[in-house]
Amino acid sequence: MGSIDVEARIIPTNKYLEFYKRSLEDGEKFWSEVASELVWFRTWDKVLEWDPPFAKWFVGGRLNASYNTVDRHVKGWRKNKAAIIWEGEPGDRRVLTYADLYREVNKFASVLLKLGVKTGDRVAIYMPMVPELPIAMLAAARIGATFTVVFSGFSSSALADRIRDSEAKVLITADGGYRRGRVIQLKEIADEALKNCPSIEHVVVYRRVGREIPMKEGRDHWWHELMKDAERYVEPVSLESTHPLYILYTSGTTGKPKGVVHSTGGYLVYVYATQRWVFDVRDDDVYWCTADIGWVTGHSYIVFGPLTNGVTSVMYEGAPDYPAPDRWWEIVERYGVTILYTTPTAIRALMKFGEEYPRRHDLSTLRLLGTVGEPINPAAWHWYYNVIGGGRCPIVDTWWQTETGGILISPAPNIGLVPLKPGSATFPLPGIEADVVDEQGKPAKLGEKGYLVIKRPWPGMLMTLYKDPERYKQVYWSRFPGIYYPGDYAMRDKDGYFWLLGRADEVLKVAGHRLGTIEIEDALISHPAVAEAAVAGRPDPVKGEAIIAFVTLKQGHKPSEELTKELREHVRRVIGPIATPEEIHFVSMLPKTRSGKIMRRVIKAVATGAEIGDVTTLEDEASVEEVKEAIKTLTRKQQ
Ligand code: ATP
Ligand code: MG
C-alpha cells in the first residue's frame, strides 16, 4: 500500500486571494460553476433572484437532496465505501456504506409515504445520535417533506413548541438514547409533548435501547415493524431549488428561538462547496464532526456536507468524557480520524482534565482541526494545536450561524491556507462579501471595532423565518438596510483578519469605550487558574457600565480574595484599566445553552435584577441559581 498523504495542503496565501477576488467579480458565474458539480434533474434558468431581503437561488432548477447524498454515490465506485462509522456510547459499533444508506433511506421514504406524508408536509425528528437520524432526514428529503430536527436533550415543552410552530404531521423518535451512562427517556418526553400537539398523526419509534415503553394504539408504530413492509425503491421527488429542505430553530442564546428555513438547492450547493474548501476532504479521509445533528453544525457538516462529497464520517452517540475523559481520543485512534471538527467549549472542558488523557492515544492520523460555535480563546487554541494536533495540524476557526447555512468566515486549506492567528477566523470564504462597519453602517477602519455584516446574498442563506417574514426582515435586514446583519461584534486587524468579539447586543460600554465580552473573557482565561469566564455589564452611574465577571477555576485552584485581586490586576495588564472587572464571582459552572454556549443574557439579567426570559434551551438550571447566589453573597458582604 502506498503511503497516505495526511498533511493539509499548504498553498501560498495569494492563491486564496486570487480565488476570492475571482469569486466576487462575477458572483453568479462563480456559483453557477459550483452548482453544476451537483446532480440536477433540471438546470436553473436564473442563478439568483434577489428581491431584498428575499433571495432565490438557482431559480427553475430542480433537484433532490437525498439523490445528491446517496443515489449519486451508489452509481459509482463509492457504493461500498463507508459513509458512517458509528459508535454508540455503550461501545456498540456499526458501519454503514453508501449502499446501506441508500437502501435504508429508500425504505424509510416508503414508510413515510405509507403514513400519508406528502411533499410539502413537515416531519419532526427527536432522536439520539444514531444512523437512523440522518436516514430519517434523508428519507423526508427524498419525498419532499420538510423536516425539523429537535435536539434530543430538549425538554417536552421545547419539543412541543417546535412541533406546534412547524405543524409537523409525523414525529420520529426512539425508545431512548444513551448519555453519560444514563438512558434519556425520549418516548416519555415525546408523549408529554404530544398532549398538546394536534398536528401529529403518527409517531415512529426506533428501538435503540430495547426497553418497555408506552405505545399508543393507532398513533405509535415501531420503526422496525414498518420497515418490514417497506418498498425498496422510492423515486426521489424532483423539487424546486427553493423547496424548503428543513426548518431549524436557533440555539436561543439571545432569546426566543427562531425557525430558520433553508432551501434545497442553494443550501446544498453551499454546504457541498464549503465542506471541501474548509475541510479539504478527500476520499481517504476519516472525518469526524463531534456536533449533535440537532444543531445546524450537524445538519450541514455531519449530514449534507460530508455526504454530498462522498466522505467517510465518524458519528458518536454519547458524552466526550464517558466512561473516561479520553473517550474522544480513543475514537480518534480507533478509526484513524484525519479531520476533527468540534467546539471551543468542548476543548476547554477536555483541557480541564489535563494532557494525560490525549497522551494515552495515538493521534498521529490527524491532519486538520476545526472549531465552531464561539470564538476560540488563544489558550484553548494552543492546547488544541499542540496537544491534540501535535503541532502539525492547521486549525480552521469557522464562523457561521444557523441562519447562514454554512461557514462564511474561515481559513480554507483546500483553496490556499493563509497564515493562522489564534483566535481569528481569518478571511471570508469565496463568494462572501464580509465587512465590519460602524454604527452608521460605514466601513470601520482596520483596527476599529464594529458590526460584522455580509454585503451580498450567498446560496446557503436562510430563506426566511418560518411563518414570520416580518421578524426575518426586522432581525437581519433592518439594522443596516440592504445588508445582512448577523448580530456579532467584530474587528479587522491591520492585516485585514477578522476577529469575532461576541454578540453585538452584549457589547459593554465602559467609560466611553466599547468592549466585546470576548475581549475581557479571553484576558481572564489567559490566567493559569481560570478554566472558563463569562462577563456582563451592569448599569453604572459613573462609568456607564460596570463589568461583572463569573469564572470557573481549573482543577487545583481555589477561590480567594488574593485570586480576585490577581485576576483584576491581570485583566488590567492584558487589556487596560478600563477593562478591570468590578466584581469577580467564582462559580462551579456557567449558565450555558445545550449547545455549550454561555448565556450571558441570563447572567446580565441576574446581575441587573431584570427578567430572565426564555430559558428553554438552558442546559442546567442549577447554574442560574448559582449565579444568583454568588451575586447575593457579594451584595451582603458589601452592605
Ligand atoms: P440565537 O440566535 O437563538 O441567540 P445562537 O446565535 O447561539 O442562538 P447559532 O446559530 O447556533 O445560535 O450560533 C451562531 C452564533 O455563534 C454566531 O452568531 C456567533 O455569535 C457564534 N459563533 C459561531 N461560530 C463562531 C466562531 N468561529 N467565532 C466566533 N463566534 C462564533
Ligand atoms: Mg444567533
Side-chain angles (χ1 to χ4, degrees), residues 258 401 403 503:
K258 304 173 269 284
Q401 313 177 291
E403 295 88 338
R503 317 264 171 164

Side-chain angles (χ1 to χ4, degrees), residues 464-511:
T464 186
L465 291 177
Y466 192 61
K467 291 192 301 199
D468 204 351
E470 282 311 312
R471 190 174 179 205
Y472 166 75
K473 286 188 204 164
Q474 181 256 321
V475 175
Y476 309 105
W477 301 93
S478 66
R479 181 70 177 81
F480 303 112
I483 49 182
Y484 179 78
Y485 174 62
D488 280 1
Y489 201 50
M491 185 198 69
R492 298 185 70 187
D493 68 14
K494 62 178 185 354
D495 302 321
Y497 281 61
F498 284 74
W499 295 78
L500 280 303
L501 304 175
R503 317 264 171 164
D505 51 7
E506 291 167 347
V507 166
L508 304 163
K509 293 162 210 98
V510 188

Side-chain angles (χ1 to χ4, degrees), residues 115-135:
L115 291 176
V117 180
K118 296 190 180 63
T119 302
D121 286 346
R122 268 85 52 222
V123 168
I125 305 177
Y126 182 61
M127 290 184 91
M129 282 285 284
V130 291
E132 281 66 23
L133 165 51
I135 288 167

Side-chain angles (χ1 to χ4, degrees), residues 341-363:
Y341 187 33
T342 191
T343 62
T345 302
I347 297 167
R348 283 192 295 268
L350 292 167
M351 206 173 141
K352 244 164 101 172
F353 295 114
E355 285 182 24
E356 61 167 295
Y357 292 100
R359 294 264 182 255
R360 286 183 195 167
H361 298 278
D362 178 4
L363 307 180

Side-chain angles (χ1 to χ4, degrees), residues 72 96 106 114 120 160 178 204 210 213 238 251 271 359 384 403 428 435 502 532 544 558 565 582 611 619:
R72 178 178 182 207
L96 280 88
N106 271 285
K114 287 187 184 172
Y178 292 97
V204 182
I213 50 157
S238 168
S251 322
V271 295
R359 294 264 182 255
Y384 197 30
E403 295 88 338
D435 204 353
E532 291 180 300
K558 283 207 186 71
K565 260 198 217 135
E582 194 76 13
E611 187 102 12
E619 183 173 57

Side-chain angles (χ1 to χ4, degrees), residues 255-572:
K256 188 177 179 294
K258 304 173 269 284
V260 169
V261 183
H262 280 295
S263 70
T264 302
Y267 172 80
L268 215 58
V269 167
Y270 197 70
V271 295
Y272 163 76
T274 51
Q275 177 79 40
R276 191 153 43 81
W277 293 336
V278 174
F279 299 107
D280 185 34
V281 286
R282 307 175 208 162
D283 268 314
D284 54 9
D285 272 314
V286 179
Y287 164 87
W288 183 20
C289 166
T290 67
D292 192 288
I293 293 178
W295 310 121
V296 73
T297 306
H299 282 58
S300 299
Y301 299 112
I302 296 179
V303 183
F304 293 102
L307 296 178
T308 46
N309 280 280
V311 167
T312 296
S313 281
V314 169
M315 179 175 172
Y316 168 58
E317 176 187 36
D321 54 354
Y322 188 85
D326 65 341
R327 182 62 184 267
W328 276 11
W329 317 128
E330 191 184 299
I331 292 175
V332 168
E333 178 172 8
R334 178 155 38 248
Y335 305 110
V337 172
T338 57
I339 304 169
L340 178 67
Y341 187 33
T342 191
T343 62
T345 302
I347 297 167
R348 283 192 295 268
L350 292 167
M351 206 173 141
K352 244 164 101 172
F353 295 114
E355 285 182 24
E356 61 167 295
Y357 292 100
R359 294 264 182 255
R360 286 183 195 167
H361 298 278
D362 178 4
L363 307 180
S364 64
T365 49
L366 289 170
R367 71 173 178 89
L368 186 64
L369 303 173
T371 64
V372 60
E374 287 176 296
I376 179 164
N377 53 298
W381 195 97
H382 285 290
W383 191 83
Y384 197 30
Y385 184 77
N386 291 310
V387 180
I388 305 306
R392 229 178 27 253
C393 314
I395 296 179
V396 290
D397 175 347
T398 65
W399 178 88
W400 60 297
Q401 313 177 291
T402 307
E403 295 88 338
T404 66
I407 301 164
L408 297 197
I409 305 180
S410 167
N414 179 266
I415 298 168
L417 189 66
V418 299
L420 302 176
K421 299 191 187 190
S424 164
T426 72
F427 297 101
L429 292 180
I432 304 302
E433 197 182 341
D435 204 353
V436 174
V437 300
D438 65 14
E439 291 286 332
Q440 281 71 46
K442 291 202 197 72
K445 291 198 191 79
L446 294 184
E448 266 173 23
K449 297 177 220 169
Y451 305 97
L452 180 68
V453 293
I454 312 296
K455 294 184 157 167
R456 60 166 90 179
W458 66 100
M461 88 185 219
L462 74 167
M463 293 201 298
T464 186
L465 291 177
Y466 192 61
K467 291 192 301 199
D468 204 351
E470 282 311 312
R471 190 174 179 205
Y472 166 75
K473 286 188 204 164
Q474 181 256 321
V475 175
Y476 309 105
W477 301 93
S478 66
R479 181 70 177 81
F480 303 112
I483 49 182
Y484 179 78
Y485 174 62
D488 280 1
Y489 201 50
M491 185 198 69
R492 298 185 70 187
D493 68 14
K494 62 178 185 354
D495 302 321
Y497 281 61
F498 284 74
W499 295 78
L500 280 303
L501 304 175
R503 317 264 171 164
D505 51 7
E506 291 167 347
V507 166
L508 304 163
K509 293 162 210 98
V510 188
H513 293 269
R514 284 169 175 271
L515 291 165
T517 47
I518 302 302
E519 297 178 79
I520 308 163
E521 290 166 8
D522 275 2
L524 284 163
I525 301 174
S526 69
H527 187 280
V530 177
E532 291 180 300
V535 306
R538 170 153 71 200
D540 180 281
V542 182
K543 298 180 185 164
E545 250 176 331
I547 299 168
I548 319 241
F550 287 81
V551 300
T552 64
L553 296 176
K554 285 202 190 129
Q555 272 171 4
H557 295 273
K558 283 207 186 71
S560 68
E561 299 265 332
E562 287 83 85
L563 185 57
T564 308
K565 260 198 217 135
E566 205 180 302
L567 290 178
R568 297 185 70 204
E569 228 359 85
H570 181 74
V571 176
R572 280 174 87 90

